Amino acid sequence: MKIDPRHLEILAAIVDGGGLTEGAEAIGRAQPSVSRTIAMLEARIGAPLFEKSRRPLVPTELCIALAGEGRRILAAGNTASAIVTTFRTGHRGMVRIGGTPVFMDGVISTLIAEFQQNRQIRIEQCYGYAQDLMDKLDAGTLDVAICPMNPAAVSSRFQFVPVLPGRNVIACGSHHPLLRKGSLRLADIAPYPWIAPPASSPLYDDMRHILRDIGVTDTRISFSGGTLASITAILANSEALTVLPYSVVFMARRQRIVSALSIRIGHPERMLGILTKDPESDNPTVRRFRRFIDTEFRNLSRFIQQHEQNILWRD
Amino acid sequence: MKIDPRHLEILAAIVDGGGLTEGAEAIGRAQPSVSRTIAMLEARIGAPLFEKSRRPLVPTELCIALAGEGRRILAAGNTASAIVTTFRTGHRGMVRIGGTPVFMDGVISTLIAEFQQNRQIRIEQCYGYAQDLMDKLDAGTLDVAICPMNPAAVSSRFQFVPVLPGRNVIACGSHHPLLRKGSLRLADIAPYPWIAPPASSPLYDDMRHILRDIGVTDTRISFSGGTLASITAILANSEALTVLPYSVVFMARRQRIVSALSIRIGHPERMLGILTKDPESDNPTVRRFRRFIDTEFRNLSRFIQQHEQNILWRD
DNA sequence: CAATTTTCATAACATCAAGTTATGTTACGT
DNA sequence: ACGTAACATAACTTGATGTTATGAAAATTG
């Protein structure tokens, strides 16, 4: 005998409320409605649920047992409602994000940890470069991409919200001898080996341009192919140099492991930004994540600007 | 946002079954029905529950969370069904029974314990004599009465199922000197004191008749007003005599504390039986209890008859 | 004890979710 | 690319649930 779970809910409400009227109110219905529902339930079960002709309604043993189950159903329904609410307010759910490796490791991961505070949100992260990320957004396997792009060159199928200029710096270990030098010249830099980003990454191109600009010719590559963790470790324990996004070095400044050389280098025409396919159709969690990233980056941008004013950039 | 618990059940069934078709079958509906239900649910919630355009249906994070609650609801519903089933088969519920004190204590209580084996049944017992019990049956505060009555004199408003002749015996402690005597005469019995049943009980009248029949004139009452437990204790620790229903002494024979004198006494025209108001309208538990009492008493009756054949009754 | 109030039951009707069968679509495997 | 299996849609029927209005009965109160 299958019983409608809503009927059990009503039963629980009546037993707990102490009467038909209270139960009806508790569950948001009119009294006659629940009265008839109970009558039908009794007919189906074939046994009375309340003692007849008693005014403060007295539940049967059977009724009390069933009301117990009804209470469970009520509880499950409430938590289900809560789940939906937390989901709709973006406090629960999943966000699939992708971005360039160094940037995800060096900046985004820190923000993610903060975003997950007080929320039950799962982040599925993947790494990739611009084209890759756009393909995934198209395929619907990614909600948000965070990557450097030329805002003018973004397809109209995507929304691109720029948040930071895509500036790079020459990074080194915080113990590096060049940091103690007053002014840097080509001859000073030339002797040191370089860590190369992956050949397919934009950073790699950036580095090539920078080296050409400052006149370094035969670059000695001492390490390549590592993610940020490896790069940081190498920088910390050698005198190698590399090119990293300023924001990454900025975020890492707290650990006092890596620093940036005070040398002005040309920076690309790209902006770091949030790339999405159809911002309106995203679920609340994704929206909230985008908003969060956006505001955090604007804060970061301000910090970086303040920081830059305290540094003398030399040629 | 209130969610229909049945929808959550369906969700759970789909997630567990791995597809719409399986889920629909599990819950006993046609596939299009659940398809539309899910569509409506998604519309209400405002978020997809399954990933679109994927053929082995892939549930969303949100969906999995909600399905968890649905599973609870399903479980509660199942136990509710089980409760109803056990109730309908008489394995659960409550029976309100009443009867004459000595008889309830001496016979019925033992049977109740056996009846409750493997069942979740609450017994509400009360004591009373015939008129009292009929009033309570009339008032609907009693399901079954078990008492001695003259079958011919039972009102047609009641059903009376006789189960045992209302025979009495003279009871004594099992150490009693009279038990060692060959044949008993009035002079043998006369010296001993008597325990009197409550004045309002049928047993009291029985005792008076018996004493008159066997010629005892000035009866010495040593104890009165006690229930069976007290009477038994007095019998065990004195040489007092009393009148008890044969069935009570029979049930007590195991403890070897009380015995019956082998003296034939007149017995009343009453039958012990099961008295009910409206046997058809009773719930399954009560019916089952009546059936149980009936068959147990028939067994008891056979035992008693076999037992009697092994005893020489003297005048 | 009668009057009043409270509480539950019933009636009559409207509405909407949910059931059905029949029939597309569409993703996936061969 | 083609067939199959699985899901979606359509059109219609049914039945539970909602409503208001009202009746009946028990409990309370003066």
Side-chain angles (χ1 to χ4, degrees):
Chain A
M1 147 137 295
K2 168 73 177 166
I3 305 175
D4 191 321
R6 291 175 303 173
H7 296 172
L8 294 173
E9 284 186 345
I10 294 174
L11 218 56
I14 294 172
V15 170
D16 292 344
L20 273 194
T21 314
E22 294 85 344
E25 191 179 7
I27 219 150
R29 294 186 183 177
Q31 169 266 321
S33 177
V34 307
S35 174
R36 190 181 40 185
T37 300
I38 295 302
M40 289 170 61
L41 233 192
E42 286 182 329
R44 292 177 67 84
I45 291 177
L49 291 170
F50 296 93
E51 294 186 14
K52 292 302 153 199
S53 304
R54 296 291 307 278
R55 247 325 114 80
L57 225 53
V58 180
T60 307
E61 290 284 308
L62 174 64
C63 177
I64 290 171
L66 293 178
E69 300 308 314
R71 226 166 277 129
R72 293 188 186 185
I73 292 173
L74 227 34
N78 286 336
T79 76
S81 299
I83 287 171
V84 171
T85 301
T86 56
F87 177 84
R88 282 152 75 112
T89 56
H91 289 275
R92 184 192 198 94
M94 183 181 65
V95 184
R96 298 164 300 176
I97 71 173
T100 51
V102 169
F103 193 66
M104 296 303 281
D105 286 345
V107 183
I108 302 299
S109 54
T110 305
L111 298 184
I112 287 173
E114 195 177 333
F115 181 67
Q116 288 178 325
Q117 297 274 59
N118 307 320
R119 295 186 177 91
Q120 290 183 37
I121 293 171
R122 197 170 94 191
I123 303 285
E124 275 187 17
Q125 179 175 286
C126 71
Y127 299 104
Y129 302 115
Q131 188 54 53
D132 202 17
L133 296 170
M134 288 193 286
D135 291 346
K136 282 183 174 154
L137 284 172
D138 266 329
T141 60
L142 202 61
D143 296 312
V144 181
I146 301 171
C147 60
M149 297 197 80
N150 185 340
V154 176
S155 156
S156 63
R157 289 181 301 118
F158 297 101
Q159 187 204 52
F160 183 72
V161 179
V163 285
L164 268 185
R167 293 191 45 188
N168 294 319
V169 293
I170 297 179
C172 59
S174 52
H175 64 283
H176 202 282
L178 286 181
L179 290 171
R180 288 193 297 273
K181 285 243 175 197
S183 66
L184 296 179
R185 283 179 303 184
L186 173 59
D188 299 323
I189 296 174
Y192 297 104
W194 289 79
I195 300 172
S200 55
S201 80
L203 264 187
Y204 183 77
D205 289 331
D206 291 347
M207 186 171 129
R208 274 184 44 231
H209 291 141
I210 289 166
L211 291 175
R212 194 195 56 201
D213 287 351
I214 62 178
V216 178
T217 47
D218 62 340
T219 319
R220 182 157 56 94
I221 303 293
S222 67
F223 180 80
S224 69
T227 63
L228 181 60
S230 297
I231 294 173
T232 305
I234 305 283
L235 287 177
N237 297 289
S238 76
E239 297 185 340
L241 302 172
T242 192
V243 170
L244 285 176
Y246 184 18
S247 54
V248 171
V249 177
F250 183 81
M251 292 295 282
R253 75 192 187 284
R254 287 289 169 88
Q255 281 84 48
R256 304 193 177 286
I257 294 176
V258 297
S259 296
L261 292 188
S262 293
I263 185 171
R264 190 176 297 278
I265 57 179
H267 41 267
E269 279 303 303
R270 295 183 314 240
M271 289 286 285
L272 207 65
I274 305 171
L275 188 69
T276 46
K277 180 103 185 295
D278 185 3
E280 299 314 311
S281 78
D282 276 333
N283 72 48
T285 309
V286 174
R287 291 184 186 200
R288 185 173 275 263
F289 181 74
R290 283 205 319 267
R291 272 219 326 271
F292 179 83
I293 292 291
D294 193 18
T295 62
E296 287 299 312
F297 266 75
R298 297 197 187 287
N299 290 341
L300 188 60
S301 180
R302 261 211 321 279
F303 274 120
I304 290 178
Q305 277 169 19
Q306 290 174 3
H307 196 252
E308 273 187 321
Q309 292 174 350
N310 302 331
I311 294 182
L312 291 173
W313 292 96
R314 300 151 211 177
D315 292 79
Chain B
M1 146 138 295
K2 169 72 178 169
I3 305 175
D4 191 323
R6 292 174 302 175
H7 296 171
L8 293 173
E9 285 185 345
I10 293 174
L11 218 56
I14 294 172
V15 171
D16 292 345
L20 275 194
T21 313
E22 295 85 344
E25 191 179 8
I27 219 152
R29 295 184 183 178
Q31 170 265 318
S33 176
V34 308
S35 174
R36 190 180 42 179
T37 300
I38 295 302
M40 289 170 60
L41 233 192
E42 287 182 328
R44 290 177 67 84
I45 291 178
L49 292 170
F50 296 93
E51 294 186 14
K52 293 299 150 196
S53 305
R54 295 291 305 279
R55 245 329 118 78
L57 224 51
V58 180
T60 306
E61 290 282 308
L62 175 63
C63 176
I64 290 171
L66 293 179
E69 300 308 314
R71 225 166 278 130
R72 292 188 186 184
I73 292 173
L74 228 33
N78 286 336
T79 76
S81 299
I83 287 171
V84 171
T85 302
T86 55
F87 177 84
R88 282 152 75 112
T89 55
H91 288 275
R92 183 191 198 93
M94 183 181 65
V95 184
R96 297 164 301 176
I97 71 173
T100 52
V102 169
F103 193 66
M104 295 304 280
D105 286 345
V107 182
I108 302 298
S109 54
T110 305
L111 298 184
I112 287 173
E114 194 177 333
F115 182 67
Q116 288 179 325
Q117 296 275 61
N118 306 322
R119 295 186 176 93
Q120 290 183 37
I121 292 171
R122 197 170 96 191
I123 303 285
E124 274 187 16
Q125 179 176 284
C126 70
Y127 299 104
Y129 303 115
Q131 189 54 51
D132 202 18
L133 297 170
M134 288 193 287
D135 291 346
K136 283 183 174 155
L137 284 172
D138 265 329
T141 61
L142 203 61
D143 296 314
V144 182
I146 301 171
C147 61
M149 297 196 80
N150 184 339
V154 177
S155 156
S156 63
R157 289 180 303 119
F158 297 100
Q159 187 203 52
F160 184 72
V161 180
V163 286
L164 267 184
R167 293 190 46 189
N168 294 318
V169 293
I170 297 179
C172 59
S174 52
H175 64 282
H176 202 281
L178 285 181
L179 289 172
R180 288 191 298 271
K181 286 239 174 200
S183 65
L184 296 179
R185 282 179 303 183
L186 174 58
D188 298 324
I189 296 175
Y192 295 103
W194 288 79
I195 299 172
S200 56
S201 80
L203 263 187
Y204 183 78
D205 289 329
D206 291 347
M207 186 172 128
R208 276 184 43 231
H209 290 141
I210 289 165
L211 292 175
R212 194 193 57 200
D213 288 351
I214 62 179
V216 178
T217 49
D218 61 341
T219 318
R220 182 156 58 93
I221 303 293
S222 67
F223 181 82
S224 70
T227 63
L228 182 60
S230 297
I231 294 173
T232 306
I234 306 282
L235 288 177
N237 297 289
S238 76
E239 296 185 340
L241 302 173
T242 192
V243 171
L244 286 176
Y246 185 18
S247 54
V248 172
V249 178
F250 184 81
M251 290 296 281
R253 76 193 186 284
R254 285 288 170 85
Q255 281 83 47
R256 303 195 178 285
I257 293 175
V258 297
S259 295
L261 291 187
S262 295
I263 184 169
R264 190 176 294 281
I265 58 179
H267 41 267
E269 279 304 302
R270 296 183 315 242
M271 289 287 286
L272 207 64
I274 304 171
L275 189 69
T276 46
K277 181 101 187 297
D278 186 3
E280 299 313 312
S281 78
D282 277 334
N283 72 48
T285 309
V286 174
R287 291 185 186 199
R288 185 173 276 262
F289 182 72
R290 283 207 318 268
R291 275 220 324 271
F292 178 84
I293 292 291
D294 194 19
T295 62
E296 287 299 312
F297 266 75
R298 298 198 186 287
N299 290 341
L300 188 60
S301 179
R302 261 213 320 281
F303 274 122
I304 291 179
Q305 277 169 19
Q306 289 174 4
H307 195 252
E308 276 187 320
Q309 292 175 351
N310 303 330
I311 294 183
L312 291 174
W313 293 96
R314 301 149 211 175
D315 293 76

